[in-house]
Amino acid sequence: MDTQGEIVSQSPYQGPGITDVVVIDDEESICEGCRQTLETGGYRSEIARDGIQGLKLVEQSHPRVVLVDLKMQGMNGMEVLTKLSEFDPSIVSIVITGYGSIDSAVETMKIGASDFLTKPFTPEKLLESVNRGMELSQSAREKRVTEGTAQPLRVPEKAPLNKQNVLLNGLEVLGQYYSLGLKERQFFSELKYLESEAEHHAERLGRVEEKEKTVLDIVHDLRLVDNIIQGYGYKKNVLIQILMDIQAELNWLPSHTLKWVSMRLNIPYANIYSIVNFYNVFNLEPRGDHIIEICMGTACHVRGAAGLMERVSSLLGVQPGETDSEMLFTLKSVRCMGCCALAPVMKIDEQYNSNPKVSDLKKRFDNYMGKEESS
Amino acid sequence: MKTIELVIDGKKVQAEEGATILEVARENGIYIPTLCHDDQLQPAGTCRMCMVEISNNGRKKLVASCVYEVEENLVVKTDSEKIRKIRRMIVELLWPTVPALAKEFGVDKSRFVPEHTECCLCGLCVRYCAEVKKLNAVYFKGRGIDREIAFVPELADECVYCRECFNLCVGGLIVNQCGSVYS
Amino acid sequence: MIKLNSPHDLEILRESIVSKRDPNRTCVTVCSGTGCLAYGSHDIFREFRLEIEKQRLGEEVDLRRTGCHGFCGRGPLIVIFPEKICYLGAQKEDVADIVSKTIVDKELVDRLLYKDFETGEQITRIDDIPFYKYQKRILLDNNALIDPEKIDDYIAIGGYSAIAKVLFEWNRDDLIKEIKEANLRGRGGGGFPMGVKWETTRNVPVDPKYVIVNADEGDPGAYMDRSLLEGNPHCVLEGLIIGAYAVGSQEGFIYVRDEYPLALENTKIAIETAREYGLLGENILGSGFDFEITIHRGAGAFVSGESSALMNAVEGRVGEPRPKYIHTSVKGLWDRPTCLNNVETWANVPFIVNKGADWFKSIGTENSKGTKIFSLVGKINNTGLVEVPMGTTLREIVYHIGGGIPNAKKFKAVQTGGPSGGVLPEDMLDIPVDFDALTEAGSMMGSGGMIVMDENTCMVDTARYYIEFLAHESCGKCIPCREGLRQMLRILNSITRGVGKEGDIELLEELGEMMQEASLCALGKTAPNPVLSTIRHFRDEYEAHINEARCPAGVCKELIIYHINPEDCLRCGLCEKNCPTNAISKDEDEVYVINQESCIKCGSCMSVCPEKANAIVVENAFRPPFANDLPKTDVAATTIYST
């Protein structure tokens, strides 16, 4: 079967935009070998059999590293390398070649290749090279940011803290990230997006008087996200863990953090939205200071969990899943906490209670409310 | 590539290894109804309209023909009382969002109270946007009975108004929602 | 710590740990499972430490925090070795007494001992308590002996010797043969033989291969896996490492629910310490075998317990099942051969390796070998984790171990298999619990949830509960499951509200059969089971709801009212104080009455009414179908039950 020029060997589960490495080579055995080796190294890869398809693939999936065969039919490796560095200089390219002469190595290095693999190469060699490439790609992205006028996501301490400055500063940083990989149209809409996000939060939270502070908060959040992603080594398959870590820090998942994760990991925003809407753990709304969870497991159900939920819900005036207007309590139903012996069980801020009495609950809730008022 | 022989509705047919029952049936002019299937997309196996009965070594079972790969000596029945019952029930459950299939199966009313009137959640738009257009402007939101088709919150960014998903939409939700945004 | 480089190193370490321990020395163990922690066992532990210090007993007494002992209904549990004296439900204030009386004077603290329900006889030793006496605790036994955070405790009881044996004395074929011979079947639901799975995965000529522990115990009302992972994480690790070696995998994952923080924490510690000892990581025990484990936290989705959905989640995707007909042991994680089993199944592996397939086969029935842990919960006297040989009858579990139904209520049914299982009524109590017998009876083994229901449990409400659970916990991907559950829930909701129609039962049955045939994954195929099995055994309850708008068990709140019997009322006012909506007040005759308009039927008053009064009763609202606006109090009421 003639597969020349086709994008082949795309794993059916591999949605777009989750690719770490693109391999461009016209030899099937090399492609397949690379793909398998990369997979053992935890990298998602896609394969193209010629330069044109390869570049298309790069455009679609924004990989961090590209492996290019120097000698191919049609567009050759040199041309691909040139186009690649025009498209996004932060993509690290590694050249594969059968002619391991110094000359061609120097030549490719000049036009942006960062490493060199001589055929035949061992899987270890390949992984070593790609690992290094990944690090390079990361530092290339960061370097571009730090070399610019602005610090990465940091607001200069001495600049007056007005909205204009903060926004400008944060957005400038954003812009630099963006110019690395995104099209212009997207770049400007991101800027607009961050600004509108800031205003939106300032209005909705109601507690925050100054919008500047909100923008600062957002910039802070984005830095936090960066740290978390970095801690996981920019791997895409840990997306769910990253989101959980963000929530652990912020108590919920503001949409700017999701957007940021999507951009930093090159995962479509829609995929991230599907995930956060799929799992119970994620909260897309801010939660109250006290989290009240009522177990709805079967053991609890037969011992009257529904009644307990009714009681608590009517005492707080909050429906399950909601937060009160004072942002004090969030009432949640949990599928099963696995402490069936205490059924029906209620958990307030990590503390388990077995079938609490209404009179005790009243005291407790009043206490929380009183405390919050006085402080 | 290996060639495999199997029997579909009493007809001996040949197929390439790795092909699905649905593909082979269609190549041989045998009709199997589908809802979530489209040749441009990876099979999803979610609508279950294409369920067929297979038997191999005497064991019978029902499978979704769009994802089941052909096997040597497989005997496939694409229609039976049991299969018709399942298909009719599915159409009834989706009432009134799948008018063409309803007509085909002679379903003109449903014993169930419909909750969606425009969307049967076949997911064709979602998959087309992700797999063919690679834009991911539409996605599945929520899970279980709360699942719905949704646009990425900042719609304007991802969607390029190609309107190619309009042609795929069975119930008309995309046409109505996206159409209004577009205008 | 120096890495262990050979089985000999491990033996030396074990000997040195054991030699420092005197089996006759007094050791106080305090259960630190989630259940007991919730009862305050942490404070008790601290109090013990202070008290032992205060009385200067540090030289003579050991104090140890342990994993879950299983008798969660009576926590916090304290067991004092070597006599194995068991104290139940102790509070912080009791600690001083225990130390000075039991430890110093060797006397018992009577008030904390177990008392038999019928005879009132006091029982001192933990093994003599009926709850424990009738069990055969193999997996759970070690929970009570070790501190889950300390790898030395596990090594002291022979831990990790199975790995040494496998890596140095057996080859892979021997190992797979032994597991196949033992016929260990998956404890997570399907009951698929583990050895066959291993063999399939091993024989696929594709690398890398993966192994996964499924600790996404989603069944509501089941917590066996949580307890094992919390109480003895090394045992699960050891099983996993052995499995990895057998199938030729170098990377494993443990998928733990985020709702189990303690299990997560203990597993993390276990992995770290095992790595420090050279029992995990590169060149395990100097054998040349490398293996790494990563923990993946589950974000809360029942459907993600399905194997292919779980693998999607580990890959960082939405956790919905794949529509494939290729088994995950051939094409699983990242399309590579993957061997996935749940916690309990993996935990069995070291035992089989150490004691042999013949020993394992000697326990259980023809086709179901070994023991099974159940979480015995609901309307039962002894709530807790129960480990019994396969083939034990339900009656033995419910009555001998569980001590029967509280408050002299009548037994109605026991539910097994979680949302995929079914209910088994009184006349089926004598069937033995094994994979095949339960399936035959219209339920299933599942992961081991066993929920006991008494006469005050409504079976229609139970079915509605499970369908509601599944409707929100399924992925919603395939139409039969999603739309089927949507309509089932709609119909069941109307029945429990007293507005069900004739023909509803038949429609439910028809829908259920279609879902069993046509759904994409096991969740959808088994989703109608709770409905079908309740219809099969309790059709009369459905009919009462539909035809008479009556809930015989007095549960469905649209069909009942709460009423205070003036003759029995003690005028104590507890109900008034505990009403969340202030619906209870005194009338002109000083009698408490419930204002039906503002009553939300939460049952709070009933649960606080003193036992000697039992003045609050549940009555039929007697609302005929389709008459929503009839004033509820105006019609004659009949009492369904009182406390």
Side-chain angles (χ1 to χ4, degrees):
Chain A
M1 214 158 57
D2 180 22
T3 51
Q4 193 74 34
E6 294 255 326
I7 300 173
V8 287
S9 200
Q10 227 179 304
S11 157
Y13 305 124
Q14 193 170 298
I18 57 159
T19 307
D20 300 312
V21 183
V22 164
V23 184
I24 312 174
D25 197 320
D26 54 0
E27 257 181 80
E28 178 169 2
S29 58
I30 300 259
C31 285
E32 199 42 44
C34 285
R35 199 174 69 81
Q36 286 187 9
T37 309
L38 288 171
E39 207 163 294
T40 55
Y43 298 118
R44 319 269 71 215
S45 60
E46 285 191 84
I47 287 169
R49 290 288 178 71
D50 69 20
I52 308 246
Q53 286 299 331
L55 286 174
K56 266 194 193 161
L57 204 52
V58 167
E59 213 175 326
Q60 279 163 9
S61 45
H62 280 284
R64 289 174 181 274
V65 174
V66 178
L67 293 169
V68 192
D69 187 7
L70 214 48
K71 187 168 167 276
M72 286 185 291
Q73 284 179 348
M75 187 189 261
N76 71 30
M78 287 289 185
E79 289 173 71
V80 175
L81 285 175
T82 320
K83 291 258 189 279
L84 269 178
S85 57
E86 280 169 19
F87 171 68
D88 180 352
S90 77
I91 293 181
V92 171
S93 35
I94 300 169
V95 167
I96 308 173
T97 174
Y99 314 98
S101 73
I102 307 278
D103 286 355
S104 52
V106 172
E107 197 66 23
T108 51
M109 295 298 203
K110 266 188 201 157
I111 53 168
S114 69
D115 205 354
F116 209 77
L117 281 168
T118 317
K119 280 191 263 189
F121 47 85
T122 59
E124 289 76 34
K125 202 109 204 192
L126 171 66
L127 278 181
E128 201 182 292
S129 181
V130 170
N131 284 340
R132 214 166 34 230
M134 286 290 175
E135 281 164 26
L136 261 175
S137 137
Q138 199 45 50
S139 57
R141 283 171 191 230
E142 273 155 19
K143 204 169 148 212
R144 305 211 119 233
V145 176
T146 39
E147 271 174 359
T149 46
Q151 290 293 301
L153 301 179
R154 196 173 299 136
V155 181
E157 279 164 32
K158 297 226 169 100
L161 276 185
N162 60 34
K163 183 189 167 192
Q164 204 66 29
N165 272 349
V166 173
L167 255 183
L168 273 179
N169 212 305
L171 300 189
E172 209 170 317
V173 179
L174 257 187
Q176 286 175 17
Y177 276 111
Y178 279 97
S179 58
L180 297 176
L182 293 178
K183 283 172 240 141
E184 203 174 313
R185 191 176 72 86
Q186 271 169 308
F187 164 52
F188 283 110
S189 70
E190 296 313 333
L191 295 188
K192 244 174 59 198
Y193 169 74
L194 189 72
E195 191 174 14
S196 67
E197 188 69 17
E199 302 216 353
H200 176 63
H201 281 274
E203 275 160 31
R204 192 167 55 158
L205 277 170
R207 288 175 163 190
V208 183
E209 296 289 326
E210 310 112 29
K211 287 177 186 171
E212 292 85 36
K213 189 174 173 300
T214 312
V215 180
L216 267 181
D217 285 348
I218 289 180
V219 174
H220 165 265
D221 291 353
L222 299 190
R223 281 183 68 195
L224 177 96
V225 172
D226 261 2
N227 286 338
I228 290 172
I229 295 178
Q230 211 157 17
Y232 282 105
Y234 294 88
K235 288 215 173 136
K236 289 175 182 182
N237 74 314
V238 283
L239 172 63
I240 297 172
Q241 313 297 302
I242 290 172
L243 295 171
M244 285 165 84
D245 283 356
I246 297 172
Q247 177 162 293
E249 292 285 338
L250 301 178
N251 208 13
W252 65 295
L253 289 174
S255 51
H256 56 266
T257 58
L258 299 180
K259 190 87 191 174
W260 196 237
V261 173
S262 150
M263 298 187 299
R264 300 296 263 134
L265 287 180
N266 251 324
I267 298 174
Y269 198 28
N271 292 10
I272 294 180
Y273 248 79
S274 292
I275 285 174
V276 294
N277 276 298
F278 188 86
Y279 291 103
N280 285 345
V281 163
F282 300 120
N283 297 290
L284 296 173
E285 295 284 328
R287 292 188 291 174
D289 298 341
H290 302 284
I291 314 288
I292 298 167
E293 293 171 314
I294 292 178
C295 179
M296 289 287 150
T298 322
C300 290
H301 178 79
V302 301
R303 291 213 213 157
L308 179 61
M309 179 59 98
E310 292 268 1
R311 273 167 239 166
V312 176
S313 168
S314 85
L315 280 176
L316 293 174
V318 174
Q319 289 303 307
E322 288 178 357
T323 303
D324 67 332
S325 55
E326 302 282 312
M327 299 289 293
L328 264 178
F329 303 104
T330 297
L331 182 60
K332 245 186 125 174
S333 67
V334 176
R335 283 311 180 189
C336 182
M337 296 185 198
C339 25
C340 311
L342 304 171
V345 57
M346 177 181 103
K347 196 166 123 186
I348 305 185
D349 303 333
E350 306 306 311
Q351 194 192 348
Y352 295 87
N353 296 272
S354 175
N355 201 15
K357 276 187 191 168
V358 170
S359 49
D360 297 341
L361 286 176
K362 273 184 193 162
K363 260 184 241 154
R364 200 149 172 190
F365 294 153
D366 286 347
N367 196 4
Y368 283 145
M369 287 183 222
K371 238 193 233 159
E372 297 298 325
E373 274 160 26
S374 63
S375 66
Chain B
M1 200 155 271
K2 215 174 126 195
T3 307
I4 282 173
E5 273 199 4
L6 68 156
V7 176
I8 304 181
D9 288 348
K11 188 175 161 187
K12 244 200 185 126
V13 296
Q14 291 196 328
E16 266 183 17
E17 192 181 15
T20 64
I21 296 177
L22 181 69
E23 283 165 1
V24 178
R26 290 202 169 163
E27 273 164 32
N28 288 283
I30 297 163
Y31 173 73
I32 298 173
T34 57
L35 172 60
C36 72
H37 181 81
D38 190 285
D39 289 338
Q40 306 169 75
L41 307 174
Q42 295 278 355
T46 57
C47 74
R48 319 307 274 181
M49 280 303 284
C50 68
M51 296 289 276
V52 294
E53 191 182 284
I54 57 163
S55 49
N56 206 349
N57 303 326
R59 278 215 319 225
K60 278 188 184 177
K61 62 175 178 181
L62 290 177
V63 298
S65 61
C66 68
V67 283
Y68 199 92
E69 292 180 9
V70 289
E71 293 161 4
E72 199 65 55
N73 299 327
L74 199 66
V75 179
V76 181
K77 263 171 80 179
T78 65
D79 203 0
S80 73
E81 192 43 49
K82 199 169 169 187
I83 295 171
R84 276 194 89 74
K85 214 174 144 188
I86 289 175
R87 290 181 184 154
R88 279 182 64 99
M89 187 72 130
I90 291 173
V91 173
E92 218 182 321
L93 282 168
L94 292 174
W95 177 270
T97 59
V98 286
L101 283 171
K103 204 171 158 200
E104 183 184 330
F105 286 90
V107 175
D108 53 6
K109 62 176 189 317
S110 173
R111 287 169 288 175
F112 306 109
V113 185
E115 245 165 63
H116 292 285
T117 51
E118 286 186 332
C119 183
C120 62
L121 286 160
C122 62
L124 284 170
C125 52
V126 174
R127 284 154 55 214
Y128 186 84
C129 198
E131 290 177 29
V132 180
K133 300 297 286 186
K134 310 241 178 208
L135 287 169
N136 296 288
V138 203
Y139 73 109
F140 282 120
K141 187 180 172 187
R143 67 167 183 227
I145 58 170
D146 301 321
R147 180 181 255 227
E148 58 187 21
I149 302 283
F151 291 93
V152 169
E154 296 72 31
L155 173 75
D157 278 0
E158 270 80 5
C159 180
V160 296
Y161 307 113
C162 69
R163 290 191 274 181
E164 284 162 35
C165 54
F166 284 25
N167 302 328
L168 297 168
C169 188
V170 181
L173 176 92
I174 284 287
V175 187
N176 294 347
Q177 276 208 2
C178 206
S180 64
V181 172
Y182 186 61
S183 65
Chain C
M1 181 66 212
I2 305 158
K3 276 203 173 171
L4 306 171
N5 273 319
S6 67
H8 183 67
D9 287 359
L10 177 66
E11 275 321 304
I12 291 179
L13 174 68
R14 191 186 332 276
E15 274 163 30
S16 88
I17 298 168
V18 173
S19 68
K20 285 182 206 137
R21 295 186 176 181
D22 174 7
N24 295 318
R25 195 176 145 101
T26 306
C27 177
V28 180
T29 63
V30 181
C31 175
S32 298
T34 298
C36 283
L37 282 178
Y39 288 122
S41 81
H42 186 66
D43 290 344
I44 291 179
F45 181 79
R46 228 175 10 209
E47 197 68 23
F48 261 115
R49 205 166 50 196
L50 292 175
E51 194 63 33
I52 289 172
E53 230 166 76
K54 206 166 101 190
Q55 305 207 17
R56 299 219 170 78
L57 294 165
E59 294 292 307
E60 297 135 56
V61 179
D62 282 334
L63 179 63
R64 185 178 300 154
R65 231 189 295 227
T66 70
C68 174
H69 291 221
F71 201 1
C72 312
R74 301 290 295 275
L77 267 84
I78 297 163
V79 181
I80 299 167
F81 289 87
E83 297 91 350
K84 288 192 162 187
I85 300 164
C86 175
Y87 289 135
L88 301 163
Q91 291 303 312
K92 218 164 73 181
E93 297 71 34
D94 299 315
V95 170
D97 239 18
I98 296 175
V99 173
S100 42
K101 271 197 178 166
T102 311
I103 296 175
V104 178
D105 299 341
K106 303 286 170 204
E107 280 171 22
L108 295 171
V109 183
D110 289 349
R111 66 176 186 277
L112 299 171
L113 287 172
Y114 180 87
K115 277 177 206 67
D116 196 272
F117 284 106
E118 281 159 22
T119 58
E121 182 201 355
Q122 277 183 354
I123 297 173
T124 316
R125 293 193 54 219
I126 184 163
D127 299 339
D128 298 334
I129 296 173
F131 178 78
Y132 289 104
K133 199 161 101 186
Y134 297 105
Q135 294 190 45
K136 186 173 178 67
R137 294 164 75 88
I138 294 170
L139 300 176
L140 283 176
D141 216 20
N142 291 340
N143 266 18
L145 300 175
I146 58 176
D147 180 336
E149 292 180 13
K150 298 206 171 107
I151 190 170
D152 284 2
D153 282 8
Y154 183 61
I155 291 176
I157 57 164
Y160 288 107
S161 56
I163 284 187
K165 196 168 172 183
V166 165
L167 290 178
F168 292 92
E169 292 168 34
W170 292 9
N171 64 33
R172 294 192 157 103
D173 294 322
D174 293 341
L175 173 57
I176 293 182
K177 216 177 113 203
E178 194 74 10
I179 301 292
K180 270 177 83 176
E181 180 65 26
N183 195 13
L184 170 63
R185 295 173 68 173
R187 263 61 171 152
F192 196 79
M194 193 187 212
V196 179
K197 245 188 210 181
W198 285 16
E199 197 173 44
T200 318
T201 306
R202 162 139 199 241
N203 288 341
V204 182
V206 176
D207 276 312
K209 296 178 165 76
Y210 299 103
V211 284
I212 302 181
V213 178
N214 183 352
D216 186 43
E217 191 173 39
D219 272 17
Y223 62 106
M224 302 74 52
D225 289 352
R226 198 208 67 199
S227 262
L228 276 175
L229 208 52
E230 259 174 32
N232 194 356
H234 287 287
C235 181
V236 182
L237 294 191
E238 191 178 2
L240 185 68
I241 299 169
I242 294 170
Y245 173 72
V247 303
S249 159
Q250 300 191 334
E251 197 177 356
F253 292 89
I254 302 184
Y255 188 94
V256 192
R257 299 176 76 195
D258 201 42
E259 288 91 334
Y260 289 175
L262 189 60
L264 259 167
E265 192 52 39
N266 288 354
T267 313
K268 234 183 253 171
I269 296 171
I271 290 177
E272 273 161 29
T273 48
R275 196 177 285 138
E276 275 169 30
Y277 274 46
L279 294 161
L280 195 64
E282 277 176 22
N283 198 9
I284 294 173
L285 283 179
S287 65
F289 175 60
D290 306 337
F291 183 62
E292 267 307 335
I293 300 176
T294 314
I295 297 179
H296 189 102
R297 283 166 295 157
F302 178 66
V303 66
S304 289
E306 198 270 347
S307 59
S308 67
L310 187 146
M311 290 173 196
N312 270 344
V314 174
E315 289 176 23
R317 266 174 262 265
V318 171
E320 35 179 52
R322 299 169 178 172
K324 292 279 163 170
Y325 287 99
I326 299 172
H327 205 274
T328 48
S329 35
V330 180
K331 253 186 169 193
L333 196 60
W334 288 300
D335 276 359
R336 305 287 151 195
T338 306
C339 182
L340 177 140
N341 275 103
N342 82 333
V343 174
E344 194 184 341
T345 324
W346 287 115
N348 267 298
V349 173
F351 288 93
I352 296 174
V353 170
N354 281 331
K355 299 187 178 182
D358 289 334
W359 163 81
F360 189 76
K361 275 192 325 195
S362 69
I363 308 161
T365 61
E366 169 102 46
N367 289 316
S368 307
K369 301 294 181 196
T371 58
K372 176 81 194 82
I373 309 176
F374 292 98
S375 78
L376 188 60
V377 299
K379 306 278 187 73
I380 185 92
N381 272 319
N382 301 334
T383 304
L385 289 182
V386 172
E387 184 176 351
V388 289
M390 295 274 189
T392 309
T393 65
L394 286 167
R395 192 180 300 280
E396 282 172 84
I397 297 176
V398 172
Y399 286 97
H400 293 171
I401 299 173
I405 318 296
N407 305 325
K409 295 274 181 186
K410 223 176 128 235
F411 171 90
K412 185 184 260 180
V414 55
Q415 207 279 352
T416 68
S420 304
V423 293
L424 300 162
E426 169 107 54
D427 58 15
M428 293 179 115
L429 271 183
D430 290 312
I431 63 165
V433 287
D434 75 0
F435 288 101
D436 309 309
L438 283 175
T439 309
E440 218 169 276
S443 181
M444 65 185 276
M445 178 79 85
S447 60
M450 198 172 264
I451 294 106
V452 181
M453 298 167 181
D454 70 0
E455 55 187 311
N456 295 144
T457 312
C458 169
M459 297 321 273
V460 187
D461 176 67
T462 303
R464 195 203 60 80
Y465 162 79
Y466 278 117
I467 296 301
E468 202 259 337
F469 174 87
L470 288 164
H472 293 104
E473 290 294 317
S474 73
C475 69
K477 188 171 176 171
C478 82
I479 293 171
C481 173
R482 182 188 67 234
E483 298 304 322
L485 285 170
R486 190 199 304 284
Q487 296 301 339
M488 270 190 166
L489 181 60
R490 197 175 256 283
I491 296 169
L492 288 167
N493 271 337
S494 68
I495 295 178
T496 51
R497 281 179 197 143
V499 292
K501 293 192 298 287
E502 206 177 306
D504 276 354
I505 300 177
E506 290 72 20
L507 191 56
L508 283 174
E509 285 174 323
E510 202 185 322
L511 249 180
E513 279 159 27
M514 191 276 294
M515 288 163 71
Q516 285 177 333
E517 292 278 4
S519 295
L520 188 152
C521 76
L523 184 148
K525 284 187 203 296
T526 55
N529 287 0
V531 176
L532 296 179
S533 81
T534 44
I535 292 181
R536 182 164 141 196
H537 299 297
F538 299 96
R539 203 183 182 98
D540 54 330
E541 286 196 28
Y542 279 84
E543 283 163 352
H545 282 78
I546 295 173
N547 301 339
E548 304 162 44
R550 178 172 66 86
C551 177
V555 171
C556 297
K557 68 175 188 169
E558 323 257 333
L559 307 180
I560 55 166
I561 55 167
Y562 286 86
H563 175 72
I564 301 172
N565 258 344
E567 299 88 56
D568 296 331
C569 180
L570 300 175
R571 322 281 197 266
C572 67
L574 269 178
C575 52
E576 187 189 17
K577 243 182 265 161
N578 281 292
C579 178
T581 56
N582 301 323
I584 300 176
S585 53
K586 271 188 216 172
D587 68 0
E588 52 272 26
D589 304 325
E590 295 287 297
V591 177
Y592 284 97
V593 285
I594 300 175
N595 174 3
Q596 298 298 339
E597 289 302 313
S598 44
C599 174
I600 54 167
K601 294 167 191 165
C602 68
S604 173
C605 48
M606 197 156 187
S607 68
V608 294
C609 187
E611 221 170 286
K612 55 186 173 198
N614 274 345
I616 296 174
V617 293
V618 171
E619 294 176 344
N620 262 325
F622 236 66
R623 193 172 48 152
F626 313 113
N628 290 332
D629 39 17
L630 266 182
K632 295 164 199 165
T633 38
D634 285 355
V635 282
T638 47
T639 303
I640 307 170
Y641 71 90
S642 57
T643 356

